[in-house]
Amino acid sequence: MAVRWLRRFRRSLGATPWDNTSGSQAEFTFRATAIGLLIGCLLCFTNLYFGLQTGWISMMSLQSALIGFLLSKFLPMPITAKENIVLQTTAVATGTMPLAAGFVGILPALGLLDETRDGMPPLKLSFLSAIGWSCAVAFFGVFLSPPLRKQVIVEEQLAFPSGTATAQLISVLHELPPLDTSVRARRGYRELEQDETGEDTEDGPRDSEGSDLLRDPNLDSAVTQPEGWAALIWSFAASGAMTLAAYFFPVIFSIPLFGPYLAREWLWTFTPSLSYVGQGIIMGFPTTLSMNLGMLVGWGVLSPVAKHSGWAPGPVGDMTSGSRGWILWVSLAIMCTDSLVSLLPVIYETVAQKLLPTSISLSLLGLSGSSKEDKEVETDDRLVPMSWVLWGSGGSIAIGTFLVWLVFGDEGIKPWATVVGYLLGALLSVLGVRALGETDLNPVSGLGKISQLLFAWIQPGNIVANIIAGGVAEAGAQQAGDLMQDLKTGHLIHASPRAQFYGQLIGSCLSIIVTSVAYSLYNQAYEIPGPSFPAPTAFVWLGLARLLRDGQLPAKSGEFMIGFALLFACVTAAKTYASRRDHPLAKWIPSGVAFAIGFLNTPSFSLARLSGGIVEYLYYSHYGRDKGGIRLVIIASGFVLGEGVVSIVSLILRTCGIGVASCFGCVPGLCGGCPA
């Protein structure tokens, strides 16, 4: 099998877009894989950078397909649509490892341990330990995806709106006939990346108008003409230049817009980062509105109330005794409630389909009792064999368990508990993937908290085991969900699932090295968590683990947690009900996770994203979805990638000891990299 694979890969190195020996398009080619890895490495650094700052990362699948298509214009023959599928699949697998392996949440949380309070000193993983941990969680979700694809994409034909939107874009770029999308598809484009999804950011709402946008036959001119390149280049350059300027003059990214007092005492500053504006454009106005509504409630109401009432007597920014740590608990209650309530319809359908007699389940789901037939359209030589899935899954669990034990030891987590974490991850991935397919929301934040609750019972009192096992379970669910969007894209374009599987494996392999190197460099150059990289989701993981062990909450926070949990149980139920019925007002009902992220991040991040959301809304309100095209998405992608890529330059400067040029205007403690 390995020999056949190597021969196929060697042939692909010199493959042309058409493989005359088979009479079909070559898909898994060297050029598609190489460009995908290149884009994925840039996304990996970008996602680690933004994940450590705000806990919010992006799959960037649509942007990967777009940028890959533009890059291929420099080749003698541009890539084909099916090569683009492999390209973006490889890029996503490479770029999302910072979230899948917990580099933006779990590892910083382990570094926050306190020996007096937690019984263990802070765990700072070395480079080799980070490699070992990444290898332990990098492949399990990849091997889960083929059987899940068969069920949720082929048999049930779930929508996976982001994957569908990416397929529609690729069909436009490569001038393919209109796609025959599933009748169950309900929403699409503007929610290109949810993600996610720090780990809590795959749960933002999405909009439906992009499907019509991407079907516009005039759209290709927006990306195939030089103007498309120009928009990407100037937006990339502008964002990169601002990032470099902010490195030397930190006040640029920490403007005391509301006055020095509010900036110093209450952390109300403004960060005019073009990357955050770009993220706001990609998220869309409804999501950024939810985030800023949460910011106003959390930082404008609850933070002063907790401070002046004596419930959080420490400095506002202190995550232990300050109001920022106090409102963290309320955000945790909102996130868990939102994720769990949104899962209830999925659990209901799963129980009705799998556990009840056929006639009863069909009646409950409102389906007719037609005979079951195999809907698979791919031949066996293009599918991933089940033997690969079984051996790969078993090997991932066995090797992963050994690596986790090697990195953390028996004091960290028992091997049998790690195995339970993998099995729990497999079960949770079924729920997460179905929720993602139905609603475009991957509730991994809630799924991770479910695993923490279970391990508080399995290994009580062990905070390290609680965090690690939760991370193992969440990694499988998150990775399977991300890859399922790509497989939906490939299914609509009729790309080979096996070719995508190869791309996923290769991307995951390279990302282990890239993510570990990047995280080690950031750890050496910056304090994590710190002013530049607060890693907000690390406090969520550690806070819940401590709560489950001690059962103690900050003063009066329990009452507010219950109140907001009940409120958002109703809000999320209404949003889920409206979304599943395609109600036009569904997108304006606040997203619980986006609302909670407004609590986690200081106002500076949320305000900048709101700027992008407003730009997106005004642009398409003025030009319309058809005439507006996707030029705004190209500009937003340039903004995001510009800061992410130039942050590598800032990291090198920091490592070489080249510091800021001036701290003029900086508020003490708020400007990253400034000693003021």
Side-chain angles (χ1 to χ4, degrees), residues 354-644:
K354 303 300 179 185
L355 302 182
L356 297 178
T358 303
S359 59
I360 299 178
S361 66
L362 290 174
S363 175
L364 287 174
L365 295 173
L367 303 175
S368 61
S370 58
S371 59
K372 184 178 179 63
E373 58 178 314
D374 188 2
K375 300 176 183 178
E376 182 61 76
V377 296
E378 300 290 349
T379 56
D380 289 342
D381 63 313
R382 291 166 57 83
L383 296 172
V384 179
M386 188 54 61
S387 59
W388 295 13
V389 173
L390 296 176
W391 281 103
S393 300
S396 298
I397 294 174
I399 297 173
T401 300
F402 172 74
L403 290 174
V404 169
W405 173 81
L406 200 62
V407 172
F408 298 104
D410 281 331
E411 297 80 9
I413 183 171
K414 302 292 184 183
W416 62 265
T418 305
V419 174
V420 173
Y422 279 112
L423 298 178
L424 181 61
L427 295 175
L428 294 178
S429 68
V430 175
L431 296 178
V433 164
R434 286 183 57 82
L436 184 66
E438 287 280 358
T439 67
D440 224 20
L441 314 178
N442 192 350
V444 291
S445 57
L447 298 178
K449 306 308 173 280
I450 291 174
S451 62
Q452 284 190 276
L453 290 171
L454 177 62
F455 275 90
W457 173 65
I458 293 178
Q459 280 198 279
N462 191 332
I463 285 184
V464 175
N466 187 280
I467 294 174
I468 294 171
V472 168
E474 186 189 71
Q478 181 267 328
Q479 203 171 26
D482 286 350
L483 300 182
M484 209 56 55
Q485 295 276 23
D486 297 331
L487 290 171
K488 177 67 174 183
T489 303
H491 180 71
L492 293 174
I493 303 293
H494 303 294
S496 165
R498 188 179 297 192
Q500 290 185 268
F501 180 74
Y502 293 151
Q504 291 166 353
L505 287 178
I506 293 175
S508 297
C509 285
L510 180 62
S511 190
I512 290 172
I513 306 296
V514 176
T515 308
S516 300
V517 169
Y519 185 74
S520 297
L521 291 175
Y522 277 116
N523 250 328
Q524 293 173 13
Y526 296 92
E527 177 189 0
I528 299 177
S532 297
F533 298 101
T537 52
F539 294 94
V540 176
W541 281 95
L542 183 59
L544 181 58
R546 285 173 172 170
L547 172 63
L548 295 173
R549 183 198 61 184
D550 302 330
Q552 296 180 347
L553 289 168
K556 297 297 182 180
S557 62
E559 291 87 337
F560 281 87
M561 289 175 68
I562 294 173
F564 274 89
L566 293 174
L567 172 63
F568 272 89
C570 299
V571 171
T572 304
K575 186 176 184 68
T576 303
Y577 179 86
S579 298
R580 293 170 73 88
R581 283 157 179 78
D582 283 329
H583 196 284
L585 296 179
K587 65 182 180 181
W588 298 109
I589 300 176
S591 160
V593 169
F595 187 92
I597 291 294
F599 281 51
L600 288 181
N601 293 321
T602 55
S604 59
F605 299 116
S606 300
L607 290 170
R609 283 169 169 156
L610 179 62
S611 302
I614 293 173
V615 168
E616 184 266 352
Y617 179 78
L618 293 177
Y619 179 85
Y620 286 117
S621 295
H622 179 73
Y623 289 104
R625 292 285 169 179
D626 293 339
K627 293 183 180 180
I630 59 173
R631 190 178 305 279
L632 189 62
V633 177
I634 297 175
I635 295 172
S637 302
F639 284 160
V640 174
L641 291 175
E643 181 167 336

Side-chain angles (χ1 to χ4, degrees), residues 260-307:
Y261 172 76
L262 288 179
R264 182 178 61 254
E265 299 296 331
W266 299 100
L267 309 186
W268 279 81
T269 61
F270 177 61
T271 300
S273 164
L274 292 179
S275 66
Y276 293 142
V277 174
Q279 289 177 3
I281 292 172
I282 294 172
M283 292 174 190
F285 184 53
T287 301
T288 58
L289 201 59
S290 296
M291 188 182 298
N292 278 265
L293 181 61
M295 180 266 295
L296 288 174
V297 173
W299 291 91
V301 178
L302 295 184
S303 175
V305 168
K307 177 73 172 179

Side-chain angles (χ1 to χ4, degrees), residues 49 53 238-257 268-277 604-605 607-608 643 650 660-667 670-674 676:
Y49 174 80
Q53 280 190 339
S239 181
M242 177 172 281
T243 303
L244 201 57
Y247 177 81
F248 291 109
F249 304 95
V251 72
I252 293 176
F253 275 4
S254 188
I255 298 175
L257 185 64
W268 279 81
T269 61
F270 177 61
T271 300
S273 164
L274 292 179
S275 66
Y276 293 142
V277 174
S604 59
F605 299 116
L607 290 170
E643 181 167 336
S650 301
V660 301
S662 173
C663 290
F664 175 78
C666 288
V667 177
L670 295 183
C671 295
C674 183

Side-chain angles (χ1 to χ4, degrees), residues 62-74:
L62 188 143
Q63 286 84 348
S64 298
L66 174 61
I67 295 170
F69 174 80
L70 293 174
L71 288 175
S72 75
K73 291 294 185 179
F74 291 102

